[in-house]
Amino acid sequence: SENRTMHINADKSPLQVFVRAKKKINDIYVEIEEYVAETTTFINALHAEAEIVDKAERELFESYVLKVAGIREVLARDHMKVAFFGRTSNGKSSVINAMLREKILPSGIGHTTNCFCQVEGSDSSEAYLMKEGSEEKLNVVNIKQLANALCQEKLSESSLVRIFWPRERCNLLRDDVVFVDSPGVDVSANLDDWIDNHCLNADVFVLVLNAESTMTRAEKQFFHTVSQKLSKPNIFILNNRWDASANEPESQESELDKVRSQHTERCIDFLTKELKVTNEKEAAERVFFVSAREALQARIEEAKGNSPSQGAIAEGFHARYFEFQDFERKFEECISKSAVQTKFEKHSSRGKTLSGDMRSMLDNIYERITIFRNLKLDQKTLLSERIQGTETEMMNVTREMKLKIHNMVEEVEQKVSKALNEEI
Ligand code: GTP
Ligand code: MG
């Protein structure tokens, strides 16, 4: 029954918006593919029999088949991407691990992230990793081995290691979220390359700060560049290590509140006045005070069947853990909405263009057949019965195809708009 509960909860996840939209658009493309295949057969027959369709036209139509196949391929690979940035040791890798509910990425002293690490779901039941520029799947037997592999590799800081983790072990991976971990923004001189190579297709950015200090110039500068290259990126800010504040000897509640509201104000100002990526109301929903290390420990306890509070590091665990979960919820809503809009709107408008092109081409062919027929009818003495029969048949088939294509275009348009309206 525990499995069942997990399942029900998982399906209430806002990520399902993306998962459902992806399935719907894919189903629509399966239909388009069928229609295109059917029409191609017909066009080829016309070309062979009556030369009403010329070679160029036939080839053009075949290019539609390839285009549809291409879109389906991209669609199958579509995912939601979140990238984490911040100064070294602020807890970027720890936040990702807490979200994945398992210590997957190496973190802490001696495990500084020294290149980009992407964690994505895999259908295989064993984890493996792949280095940039290589197709070789390196088995990951355990976390320690993964950590060592990442340490020993002499990788350039802007290169990418992809870690494939069994989908079945984490709902976020199951639902096509891909995590990108980065080295500290303070240690790199190649921030522009980073952005060009790893950020342009990210749906959400998470800035991981250290709640014990203030935002640094490097952190600010990085996001200034991101927001110059992308229009209105979705940015969440985590003030991490919030547990440490509770441990301060002189930390009375009023003191903590003061620190918290100062940080909050600065973060909101940064998002609204400096970067101008959002408004005050939305920005207030994008700033959180959490403890990644504690959230991870809590989840590891939960997985063992213990109370999550056994992972507590300091006073005030419940509020911090709640806030971490609140962050995850808002993050899921934001990423699935954004990914549906940017990815599927493109696919559906391409689908519309494609079916529109096919329609006008078929209208054209139909017209030509009509002219051809009328011409032939004028010279009816010359026509044998057999030829006349073929032509009438051709007319009927063409009319039928034309109707089908018209219906298809309408259906696709309706379905796509409906799917998008339902989901957004
Ligand atoms: P780099 O990869 O070096 O850039 O660091 P990072 O940002 O990935 O930080 P990482 O997750 O490796 O965390 C650094 C250290 O801080 C580790 O020892 C973590 O256990 C610890 N840490 C991370 N988050 C928290 C937190 O919320 N509270 C406390 N107390 N410690 C934390
Ligand atoms: Mg790290």
Side-chain angles (χ1 to χ4, degrees):
S1 83
E2 202 175 291
N3 248 336
R4 208 180 126 73
T5 331
M6 254 181 77
H7 194 71
I8 292 169
N9 285 340
D11 286 343
K12 269 194 280 178
S13 151
L15 297 175
Q16 289 296 317
V17 170
F18 177 86
V19 175
R20 279 194 307 266
K22 180 168 169 175
K23 189 177 176 316
K24 274 186 199 164
I25 306 267
N26 188 58
D27 290 347
I28 292 170
Y29 268 97
V30 169
E31 266 177 59
I32 296 183
E33 204 164 45
E34 279 166 13
Y35 280 120
V36 174
E38 205 178 318
T39 317
T40 311
T41 315
F42 168 70
I43 297 253
N44 286 345
L46 272 185
H47 173 69
E49 274 198 28
E51 298 201 348
I52 285 175
V53 177
D54 65 19
K55 187 158 168 271
E57 232 165 4
R58 213 179 59 168
E59 280 170 5
L60 182 65
F61 211 87
E62 252 148 34
S63 78
Y64 295 151
V65 179
L66 295 179
K67 265 188 204 156
V68 173
I71 295 173
R72 284 201 62 198
E73 216 182 289
V74 174
L75 186 60
R77 271 186 282 119
D78 271 340
H79 55 245
M80 298 170 265
K81 181 166 158 182
V82 52
F84 295 77
F85 294 95
R87 203 169 38 151
T88 283
S89 283
N90 280 1
K92 301 174 292 296
S93 304
S94 301
V95 171
I96 298 177
N97 287 338
M99 293 175 82
L100 294 169
R101 299 175 165 264
E102 213 171 327
K103 195 173 172 193
I104 297 177
L105 293 168
S107 68
I109 297 161
H111 294 301
T112 288
T113 310
N114 51 17
C115 68
F116 277 78
C117 292
Q118 177 165 308
V119 185
E120 56 195 286
S122 119
D123 294 324
S124 124
S125 59
E126 314 244 312
Y128 60 92
L129 64 87
M130 274 163 88
K131 284 179 283 176
E132 196 161 12
S134 155
E135 294 284 299
E136 197 188 349
K137 292 179 178 175
L138 303 164
N139 266 337
V140 176
V141 179
N142 56 40
I143 305 290
K144 218 171 151 197
Q145 195 208 9
L146 171 69
N148 287 337
L150 291 174
C151 269
Q152 278 159 12
E153 293 297 336
K154 282 275 161 279
L155 296 155
S156 109
E157 49 148 60
S158 39
S159 72
L160 179 75
V161 170
R162 295 169 74 186
I163 299 164
F164 294 85
W165 200 254
R167 279 178 203 282
E168 63 200 21
R169 283 167 69 174
C170 173
N171 285 335
L172 289 159
L173 299 178
R174 186 201 66 181
D175 290 346
D176 281 339
V177 176
V178 169
F179 294 80
V180 177
D181 193 9
S182 64
V185 285
D186 47 334
V187 298
S188 174
N190 302 326
L191 295 180
D192 266 28
D193 288 354
W194 279 19
I195 296 168
D196 292 343
N197 294 329
H198 304 290
C199 298
L200 298 182
N201 63 353
D203 299 292
V204 168
F205 294 86
V206 179
L207 167 57
V208 181
L209 296 176
N210 182 349
E212 293 163 285
S213 56
T214 48
M215 214 185 298
T216 58
R217 265 174 60 104
E219 286 161 328
K220 285 190 169 191
Q221 187 49 48
F222 177 79
F223 279 96
H224 271 288
T225 316
V226 167
S227 61
Q228 274 156 20
K229 297 202 183 199
L230 288 170
S231 91
K232 303 226 186 290
N234 298 305
I235 304 170
F236 283 80
I237 301 181
L238 295 181
N239 292 281
N240 192 36
R241 296 171 166 268
W242 191 230
D243 59 286
S245 312
N247 275 340
E248 290 290 307
E250 74 277 22
S251 72
Q252 281 161 10
E253 223 161 277
S254 58
E255 267 305 303
L256 268 184
D257 284 348
K258 228 167 80 191
V259 174
R260 186 184 168 120
S261 58
Q262 268 174 6
H263 279 314
T264 306
E265 196 181 323
R266 278 197 203 117
C267 291
I268 292 177
D269 279 357
F270 178 59
L271 293 176
T272 56
K273 299 196 178 113
E274 276 193 48
L275 298 180
K276 300 191 173 66
V277 291
T278 183
N279 56 40
E280 294 251 344
K281 185 167 166 279
E282 195 179 59
E285 303 269 282
R286 296 273 168 96
V287 180
F288 298 87
F289 292 76
V290 296
S291 167
R293 183 179 186 163
E294 189 179 55
L296 174 62
Q297 288 181 187
R299 283 175 168 173
I300 291 170
E301 290 301 329
E302 262 180 316
K304 288 193 237 162
N306 298 332
S307 153
S309 59
Q310 288 197 27
I313 295 179
E315 219 36 40
F317 162 78
H318 286 286
R320 279 189 303 274
Y321 191 43
F322 178 82
E323 193 154 341
F324 193 85
Q325 291 168 305
D326 190 31
F327 152 67
E328 289 177 307
R329 186 93 194 163
K330 304 238 164 70
F331 155 77
E332 289 181 10
E333 279 166 11
C334 175
I335 198 167
S336 63
K337 211 176 226 180
S338 154
V340 165
Q341 265 166 354
T342 55
K343 305 203 161 113
F344 300 155
E345 253 173 24
K346 221 185 284 158
H347 293 316
S348 60
S349 75
R350 273 196 207 131
K352 281 183 194 174
T353 312
L354 209 67
S355 39
D357 288 353
M358 289 194 302
R359 169 159 73 173
S360 54
M361 186 170 159
L362 280 164
D363 279 350
N364 228 310
I365 293 173
Y366 182 72
E367 223 165 85
R368 248 177 284 153
I369 291 179
T370 317
I371 295 168
F372 180 73
R373 196 178 96 126
N374 291 342
L375 203 80
K376 286 283 160 101
L377 280 181
D378 288 344
Q379 318 167 333
K380 46 176 149 263
T381 47
L382 293 174
L383 287 173
S384 77
E385 245 170 49
R386 207 192 122 258
I387 291 175
Q388 266 209 38
T390 315
E391 265 168 28
T392 317
E393 210 179 285
M394 209 157 72
M395 276 306 283
N396 290 340
V397 178
T398 316
R399 189 176 299 127
E400 213 179 279
M401 276 323 282
K402 197 175 118 141
L403 263 174
K404 259 194 189 169
I405 293 286
H406 275 245
N407 288 342
M408 174 189 90
V409 174
E410 242 156 61
E411 220 177 286
V412 169
E413 276 175 10
Q414 265 173 21
K415 278 192 187 166
V416 167
S417 325
K418 191 162 161 265
L420 285 173
N421 284 341
E422 268 171 19
E423 301 300 357
I424 294 169

